[in-house]
Amino acid sequence: AQSVSQHNHHVILSEAASLELGCNYSYGGTVNLFWYVQYPGQHLQLLLKYFSGDPLVKGIKGFEAEFIKSKFSFNLRKPSVQWSDTAEYFCAVNVRGTGRRALTFGSGTRLQVQP
Amino acid sequence: DGGITQSPKYLFRKEGQNVTLSCEQNLNHDAMYWYRQDPGQGLRLIYYSQIVNDFQKGDIAEGYSVSREKKESFPLTVTSAQKNPTAFYLCASSQGDGPTNEKLFFGSGTQLSVL
């Protein structure tokens, strides 16, 4: 079964620090990859997604992620975080060609940005 | 406004009782999903439905049941067989075929607790 690993469970950064959150998936087929964010008191929302093409994808609010197929990774980055980036971040994957469109999520990373 | 409505926001279950969580969407989406969110475990898929009158078990379906009699509605019943029902339950929907449509829209969730 496909699985998603997020190794950083809780990250604390100061404003203006750079961010990289790790995400690895277990399936070797063709995958669609996503990062979702849950701000305090808000719905889960899509941050960015990768389906094909350029492995470096850009999302909202200055976030980007790089798909490295050889490493089964899709790490999320931001060069300079802000206090408003405090949230929980989830990596997710679904596998093409299986008939299952539902996403498999990682366990999440709680990011706390200190002013 | 288009979106997904989950009710109630908070729900309490007594031992041996079945409870039903409501999920309604007015986005005209074909697919709907139920996830369970536990601290440190991320989102785990309970059931999903890709079309009306059809649904499939997710990764943790035991102790849960669903129906999909209408496109806009996908209620989840937590049965007495679910021994650890305390969790935050999220409903989501998505539209269409093909990878470019695999964007999930989430509801605001229902917190279920056992009395």
Side-chain angles (χ1 to χ4, degrees):
Chain A
Q2 63 202 60
S3 67
V4 180
S5 298
Q6 293 183 244
H7 305 295
N8 313 105
H9 298 295
H10 189 193
V11 174
I12 301 174
L13 295 173
S14 299
E15 275 193 313
S18 64
L19 169 72
E20 181 161 3
L21 301 182
C23 173
N24 290 89
Y25 61 94
S26 64
Y27 193 76
T30 302
V31 296
N32 301 319
L33 297 157
F34 307 80
W35 275 97
Y36 279 80
V37 60
Q38 190 173 33
Y39 297 104
Q42 295 188 27
H43 297 195
L44 267 161
Q45 57 186 283
L46 182 66
L47 200 55
L48 50 78
K49 60 187 179 183
Y50 172 81
F51 293 136
S52 63
D54 189 344
L56 184 62
V57 293
K58 296 190 184 297
I60 60 172
K61 303 187 181 185
F63 285 91
E64 64 179 32
E66 185 176 13
F67 170 50
I68 304 179
K69 189 174 181 179
S70 61
K71 295 185 178 180
F72 299 91
S73 70
F74 190 56
N75 293 355
L76 181 71
R77 300 195 294 247
K78 186 171 185 179
S80 176
V81 295
Q82 300 173 311
W83 177 80
S84 58
D85 294 324
T86 294
E88 190 154 18
Y89 294 80
F90 295 92
C91 183
V93 62
N94 76 345
V95 182
R96 297 196 211 172
T98 63
R100 170 170 154 154
R101 291 166 50 194
L103 302 188
T104 299
F105 284 82
S107 57
T109 297
R110 186 172 300 276
L111 172 66
Q112 185 179 344
V113 180
Q114 296 176 333
Chain B
D1 288 337
I4 300 176
T5 301
Q6 289 187 242
S7 62
K9 191 171 182 178
Y10 300 98
L11 186 58
F12 297 92
R13 193 191 89 165
K14 296 179 183 179
E15 292 290 338
Q17 186 182 40
N18 293 353
V19 292
T20 298
L21 284 61
S22 171
C23 178
E24 303 278 331
Q25 54 104 354
N26 60 6
L27 301 167
N28 200 34
H29 284 173
D30 290 318
M32 296 187 75
Y33 312 84
W34 275 105
Y35 286 91
R36 170 178 168 145
Q37 187 176 13
D38 295 277
Q41 296 192 54
L43 280 70
R44 293 181 291 166
L45 182 68
I46 305 173
Y47 267 98
Y48 64 104
S49 168
Q50 298 188 163
I51 198 167
V52 175
N53 292 322
D54 187 42
F55 50 83
Q56 289 80 39
K57 292 183 179 180
D59 302 316
I60 55 163
E62 186 174 349
Y64 299 98
S65 66
V66 293
S67 63
R68 185 86 187 277
E69 297 175 0
K70 297 186 296 183
K71 187 175 186 178
E72 59 270 23
S73 179
F74 191 41
L76 173 74
T77 297
V78 184
T79 74
S80 57
Q82 173 48 245
K83 298 307 179 187
N84 184 25
T86 296
F88 190 60
Y89 291 84
L90 283 166
C91 179
S93 70
S94 69
Q95 171 59 25
D97 296 320
T100 56
N101 286 326
E102 297 304 349
K103 176 179 176 178
L104 266 60
F105 291 82
F106 284 88
S108 56
T110 294
Q111 175 65 49
L112 175 62
S113 301
V114 176
L115 290 176

